[in-house]
Amino acid sequence: MSLNFALILFVLLVVTGIVWAFDRVSLRPQRTARMARAAAEFDAGRAQSVRAASGEAEVERQRQEAVDRAGKMPWWVEYSVSFFPVILFVFVLRSFVVEPFRIPSGSMMPTLQIGDLILVNKFSYGLRLPIVDKKVVPLGDPQRGDVVVFRYPVDPQVDYIKRVVGVPGDEVAYLNKRLTINGQEIPMKKVGEYFDPDRVSYAALYDENLKGVNHQILIDERRSPEIDPFGGYLNRDACEYSREGVRCKVPAGNYFVMGDNRDNSADSRYWGFVPDSNIVGKAFFVWMNFGDLKRIGRFH
């Protein structure tokens, strides 16, 4: 959906930009000339009789009306000229600076809630050409612990948001609901229970330290650790499945991502890796939640 909106915005930008340029080069000089002729014709024709009948103020009013009529733009030119700067600003902003997204599911709870309106930094990992999404200026790479928005590899028309767990070259294992990266178990500490409204049940709330990034995760300790994978894999042979979970070697140019709501998230454990070319940007700020204004602010 994001790609479709970007394409629509780009088409509007091109159409209004062409009209704006055509107006600057051709139509505006013609309007200026018509307005000057209208003023001259009024002064040479009706000005004297209007002045005698109604005074100088009425002369000025009628002259201005004649000039305005001569300079009136066709509706399609007027709208295009008015909206082009706005569309250009929005296009540049969402293509290269920040883009807003809405959280539609509970897969990133408790970090992000359903209905959170978030901002995504579009230049954290490099500048990409709009529409084609080709990176032209590399500025960095996703790091473990980053919350990223990306185009779902199974259906690139859909945007997903997850946390980066494994970067290229990492060996990631999620066995018996415990996360291990390159042989080191990620420390986690249970801090209580959390009501998950998405599943209308309670889950265990843990603090997790993912290579220096502290955040909270949810684990349903009653569910089996076994994972049933489904399509989308470009590197299916990089993962091994067992009754305890999954173990993967992250290929070059790809990332292993997981939701913070570990037992209620369709992520890399199920459909595979996220190619770097699919990454939209780094999520960093909740700018609105109409159900809970206290949620506004940065998150990790």
Side-chain angles (χ1 to χ4, degrees):
M1 289 188 294
S2 175
L3 184 60
N4 288 338
F5 179 75
L7 183 58
I8 292 171
L9 194 64
F10 179 71
V11 170
L12 289 174
L13 178 67
V14 171
V15 172
T16 57
I18 290 173
V19 175
W20 178 86
F22 181 59
D23 179 69
R24 296 276 295 190
V25 173
S26 178
L27 299 183
R28 181 185 291 186
Q30 293 178 28
R31 283 199 307 276
T32 301
R34 288 200 307 270
M35 292 164 68
R37 284 198 304 271
E41 289 171 359
F42 180 85
D43 289 341
R46 299 174 52 204
Q48 187 172 355
S49 59
V50 172
R51 184 178 292 107
S54 304
E56 193 63 37
E58 183 64 15
V59 171
E60 291 301 323
R61 189 188 69 80
Q62 292 194 22
R63 179 192 287 114
Q64 190 60 50
E65 284 184 353
V67 170
D68 291 343
R69 283 195 299 271
K72 184 173 178 58
M73 292 186 285
W75 66 268
W76 53 275
V77 175
E78 183 176 3
Y79 277 102
S80 296
V81 169
S82 298
F83 284 113
F84 172 68
V86 178
I87 296 173
L88 177 62
F89 174 78
V90 172
F91 183 79
V92 171
L93 183 69
R94 76 184 302 276
S95 296
F96 302 109
V97 185
V98 294
E99 184 174 355
F101 287 87
R102 181 183 181 276
I103 302 300
S105 74
S107 69
M108 280 297 293
M109 294 172 56
T111 305
L112 295 171
Q113 307 284 337
I114 297 174
D116 280 349
L117 301 175
I118 65 170
L119 294 178
V120 174
N121 186 321
K122 298 296 291 286
F123 58 85
S124 288
Y125 308 131
L127 298 180
R128 297 178 183 268
L129 292 177
I131 310 303
V132 297
D133 274 337
K134 180 178 177 58
K135 186 182 291 187
V136 291
V137 182
L139 296 176
D141 297 308
Q143 303 298 309
R144 300 185 198 94
D146 287 358
V147 177
V148 297
V149 170
F150 56 92
R151 296 191 307 280
Y152 182 33
V154 179
D155 181 3
Q157 296 297 316
V158 179
D159 292 316
Y160 266 32
I161 182 168
K162 306 292 179 188
R163 188 180 299 276
V164 175
V165 170
V167 299
D170 280 350
E171 183 179 83
V172 178
Y174 191 72
L175 304 172
N176 296 313
K177 301 183 184 291
R178 294 297 182 267
L179 176 62
T180 300
I181 300 176
N182 298 326
Q184 294 185 339
E185 185 172 315
I186 300 302
M188 48 188 283
K189 177 183 178 183
K190 189 172 181 178
V191 293
E193 298 288 322
Y194 186 92
F195 180 70
D196 183 351
D198 201 29
R199 303 181 63 84
V200 196
S201 63
Y202 283 90
L205 178 66
Y206 284 83
D207 283 337
E208 183 178 76
N209 188 326
L210 183 55
K211 301 295 184 178
V213 178
N214 294 295
H215 62 284
Q216 292 187 320
I217 62 172
L218 301 180
I219 293 180
D220 186 346
E221 296 173 327
R222 297 164 298 181
R223 291 184 62 178
S224 166
E226 190 171 5
I227 295 170
D228 185 17
F230 60 88
Y233 275 92
L234 297 177
N235 302 90
R236 178 66 177 82
D237 57 351
C239 293
E240 299 175 358
Y241 285 86
S242 67
R243 295 182 62 85
E244 289 74 34
V246 61
R247 183 187 303 274
C248 295
K249 181 74 171 181
V250 185
N254 287 265
Y255 297 88
F256 191 96
V257 299
M258 294 174 65
D260 289 346
N261 194 349
R262 294 286 165 80
D263 292 294
N264 189 26
S265 172
D267 49 39
S268 288
R269 294 170 292 174
Y270 297 89
W271 44 253
F273 308 102
V274 179
D276 180 75
S277 58
N278 283 48
I279 293 178
V280 174
K282 180 180 179 180
F284 70 100
F285 193 84
V286 176
W287 64 270
M288 180 57 71
N289 184 307
F290 293 104
D292 184 2
L293 297 181
K294 294 180 181 178
R295 292 196 48 75
I296 296 175
R298 296 185 68 90
F299 59 85
H300 299 286

